[in-house]
Amino acid sequence: MKRYGAVILAAGKGTRMKSNCCKVLHPVAGRPMLAYVLDAVRTLSLDRIGVVIGHQAEDVMRCFDDGDLNFVKQDPQLGTGHAVKQCYELFQGFDGHVLIMCGDTPLVKPETLDGFIRYHDENSSLLSVLTTNLENPFGYGRILRDCAGNVAKIVEEKDACDPEKAIKEINTGIYIVECSLLFRLLDRLKAENAQKEYYLTDVVSWANREGVTVHGCRTEDSCVVMGVNSRSDVAAANGVVWNRIRWELMSEGTTLLDPSSFYGDFGITVGPDTVIYPNVMITGNSSIGRDCVIEPGCFINDSRIGDRVRVLLGSKLDDVEISEDVSIGPMAHLRPKAKIGKNARIGNFVEVKNTTVGDRTKAAHLTYLGDSQIGDDVNIGCGTITCNYDGKKKHRTIIENRCFVGSDVQFVAPVEIGSGSVIGAGSTITKDVPPNSLAVSRSKQKTFPLRLGQGLAPKNEDR
Ligand code: UD1
Ligand code: MG
């Protein structure tokens, strides 16, 4: 069995993305596209993996440094051939073959690479190129085969003449080359082309000149080798990965009422028998329990949701923790560090931020709970506001177990309400309330008779 190493090219800026963020860090279904390439490569038994970095090198390293990768810097970035050449030292004395691929190929599957390595092995090849046929080959290098069917040359789009542009077989940017041959050929590259770059693809014609046969392995699954170069390519890759995630979830027992309008990031989990309505997006590090219902128009990010939770129409949850049997929404906004206890109810137009809500507690309508700690079995009346901000600092509101808060109450924080207390409707609470007390702070009602014909509003002299 031959030994294999890998080089992944990730140094380019990705000019066609027109972005400040380097291309390989652009997310596909919520995850940098390079992560998918590394996943696929890591499934192979490789002796060493080199990742060529350049543009935003520190950011790329920070994202992916798991100790098994050798980061090699390319500065300046003079083309794909020049990029691989930077790995010369890493592969010095390496008695094996090197798989080379681009970090902008996020749809690649482990079985594609595995099959390609087997092909290379079975043909006792020194240089193999993975190719595919595309109906629209625009932008890719075209494969020129010789009369024996081997690869004679790869011509880049920008250097191709019209008959070459008409070729539908393209270079996927995935190659396997015997190590010493690779670096010998790289030494011969010249930047004499439309882009004035050292093209890796030119190793093919240099190999031919040395009498080395270049094998072209054509894969039928052209979708998985798509290179991402532009925003519309990112959109297409997103579409493919989202679809994969939909099918995975459904095969694990989640109901998606309209799979095409469900968007789930890579890595989210959803339990069996959970029903997700149309137009739902679940992103980041989110997990949803079993037997939940997520109604239309909900957006859930970085949140952990227990079993049998109902997230009703149009709710947004971001970085929150929801226990079992909770009902949220419709139109609720749960912001970072909201923690909702078992059997609780957060109703319509309720906003919760940096607040713990206890078990069986209800805030059913039109309420803001911020920087608060609400105990178990508390009733928060409609229109309650925790006034947490004094213009300079945020303050906490504590409402202990079994309190009953009437409608339209403002808690001017910092303030604490002892357990079992009742707050009268319409009160503005500025002082702590001891346990088992009734607190009311509102002016007494005055009632005046209206004389017939005076209209609805009392005149001034009546007040
Ligand atoms: C490349 C191939 C093309 C192939 C296509 C497949 C060359 C010259 N062309 O074109 O034949 O059909 O991929 O997707 O190789 N990179 C570096 N350093 C550099 C330049 C690029 O590390 O100096 C990296 C990029 O970060 C990227 C990869 O190499 O991950 C490919 O570069 P890109 O500019 O996307 O090449 P393509 O035009 O797609
Ligand atoms: Mg590319």
Side-chain angles (χ1 to χ4, degrees):
M1 188 64 187
K2 290 187 186 110
R3 298 171 65 198
Y4 283 95
V7 169
I8 296 156
L9 305 184
K13 179 173 192 286
T15 314
R16 287 163 282 182
M17 295 289 288
K18 302 207 167 62
S19 170
N20 285 329
C21 171
C22 85
K23 181 167 66 176
V24 294
L25 291 182
H26 270 263
V28 168
R31 194 175 185 233
M33 63 176 99
L34 180 58
Y36 295 91
V37 177
L38 291 174
D39 272 4
V41 166
R42 279 174 170 141
T43 62
L44 310 167
S45 9
L46 298 171
D47 276 32
R48 63 194 79 171
I49 305 173
V51 181
V52 184
I53 51 175
H55 199 75
Q56 292 179 344
E58 309 304 320
D59 297 335
V60 178
M61 274 200 285
R62 208 172 317 117
C63 269
F64 298 105
D65 196 1
D66 283 344
D68 61 333
L69 305 175
N70 302 279
F71 291 101
V72 178
K73 287 216 177 141
Q74 182 200 20
D75 189 19
Q77 291 97 43
L78 302 178
T80 47
H82 178 258
V84 178
K85 210 170 162 183
Q86 311 309 304
C87 295
Y88 176 73
E89 258 179 44
L90 177 64
F91 281 92
Q92 229 184 359
F94 180 68
D95 178 21
H97 294 237
V98 183
L99 168 79
I100 304 166
M101 58 181 299
C102 304
D104 66 353
T105 315
L107 304 181
V108 72
K109 288 182 174 167
E111 50 267 37
T112 317
L113 300 180
D114 204 49
F116 183 42
I117 289 178
R118 250 184 294 121
Y119 167 93
H120 182 77
D121 238 7
E122 281 161 14
N123 285 283
S124 305
S125 180
L126 292 176
L127 201 177
S128 306
V129 183
L130 187 67
T131 76
T132 197
N133 275 16
L134 290 182
E135 223 13 76
N136 175 13
F138 179 80
Y140 289 92
R142 307 299 204 282
I143 300 290
L144 274 63
R145 297 222 180 214
D146 60 23
C147 42
N150 296 313
V151 183
K153 199 178 171 189
I154 299 175
V155 185
E156 290 306 297
E157 173 83 33
K158 288 190 175 145
D159 301 289
C161 59
D162 284 343
E164 288 167 339
K165 283 183 184 161
I167 296 172
K168 296 207 183 297
E169 187 178 12
I170 61 102
N171 169 28
T172 64
I174 305 176
Y175 324 77
I176 302 173
V177 197
E178 192 277 324
C179 188
S180 59
L181 171 70
L182 170 66
F183 288 100
R184 196 165 72 241
L185 296 175
L186 287 174
D187 271 340
R188 309 186 69 162
L189 298 185
K190 295 189 177 74
E192 291 166 1
N193 49 54
Q195 302 186 78
K196 305 274 175 289
E197 285 184 359
Y198 294 91
Y199 289 166
L200 176 59
T201 43
D202 285 348
V203 297
V204 169
S205 33
W206 284 107
N208 273 281
R209 280 192 222 180
E210 281 202 14
V212 173
T213 303
V214 179
H215 293 88
C217 170
R218 193 171 6 206
T219 173
E220 296 299 317
D221 198 354
S222 47
C223 166
V224 306
V225 288
M226 169 196 177
V228 171
N229 296 313
S230 63
R231 302 279 179 164
S232 57
D233 292 340
V234 174
N238 268 324
V240 173
V241 178
W242 277 327
N243 226 12
R244 287 180 189 169
I245 292 164
R246 289 168 189 143
W247 290 108
E248 263 167 45
L249 291 178
M250 289 191 286
S251 67
E252 294 301 318
T254 299
T255 297
L256 301 180
L257 291 184
D258 175 21
S260 66
S261 74
F262 168 73
Y263 303 90
D265 269 3
F266 182 94
I268 62 153
T269 60
V270 182
D273 290 318
T274 284
V275 178
I276 300 183
Y277 281 68
N279 293 319
V280 168
M281 189 159 197
I282 302 178
T283 61
N285 182 20
S286 293
S287 63
I288 316 287
R290 58 190 311 152
D291 295 301
C292 294
V293 173
I294 317 285
E295 286 195 352
C298 290
F299 180 84
I300 299 172
N301 179 53
D302 280 337
S303 295
R304 290 142 305 281
I305 294 180
D307 297 339
R308 297 174 302 281
V309 169
R310 297 171 64 82
V311 185
L312 307 180
L313 188 99
S315 297
K316 179 179 176 186
L317 283 62
D318 182 16
D319 187 14
V320 304
E321 239 173 88
I322 315 281
S323 306
E324 299 99 84
D325 301 292
V326 169
S327 175
I328 306 284
M331 315 290 177
H333 187 188
L334 272 60
R335 295 169 51 201
K337 297 204 199 121
K339 214 173 154 201
I340 313 297
K342 289 178 198 157
N343 281 294
R345 178 167 167 217
I346 303 296
N348 49 189
F349 305 105
V350 174
E351 177 177 343
V352 185
K353 182 214 73 170
N354 188 26
T355 288
T356 306
V357 173
D359 296 349
R360 298 170 300 279
T361 286
K362 293 186 182 70
H365 338 261
L366 298 152
T367 286
Y368 173 61
L369 303 173
D371 304 303
S372 314
Q373 190 181 319
I374 320 280
D376 298 340
D377 301 296
V378 172
N379 181 83
I380 302 282
C382 172
T384 296
I385 300 168
T386 54
C387 311
N388 58 335
Y389 187 48
D390 64 7
K392 288 194 183 108
K393 278 198 208 140
K394 298 282 168 74
H395 301 281
R396 288 189 72 72
T397 298
I398 298 175
I399 301 173
E400 292 182 347
N401 297 344
R402 298 182 313 283
C403 283
F404 182 94
V405 178
S407 295
D408 189 26
V409 169
Q410 299 95 52
F411 292 101
V412 181
V415 70
E416 283 191 43
I417 313 300
S419 59
S421 288
V422 174
I423 311 294
S427 296
T428 300
I429 301 296
T430 55
K431 297 190 198 99
D432 291 353
V433 177
N436 302 311
S437 315
L438 166 65
V440 191
S441 80
R442 61 184 185 220
S443 50
K444 275 207 170 140
Q445 180 173 335
K446 292 177 190 162
T447 308
F448 304 92
L450 278 175
R451 266 173 270 134
L452 266 179
Q454 268 194 320
L456 289 175
K459 283 191 176 160
N460 276 343
E461 61 263 34
D462 293 324
R463 290 214 170 122

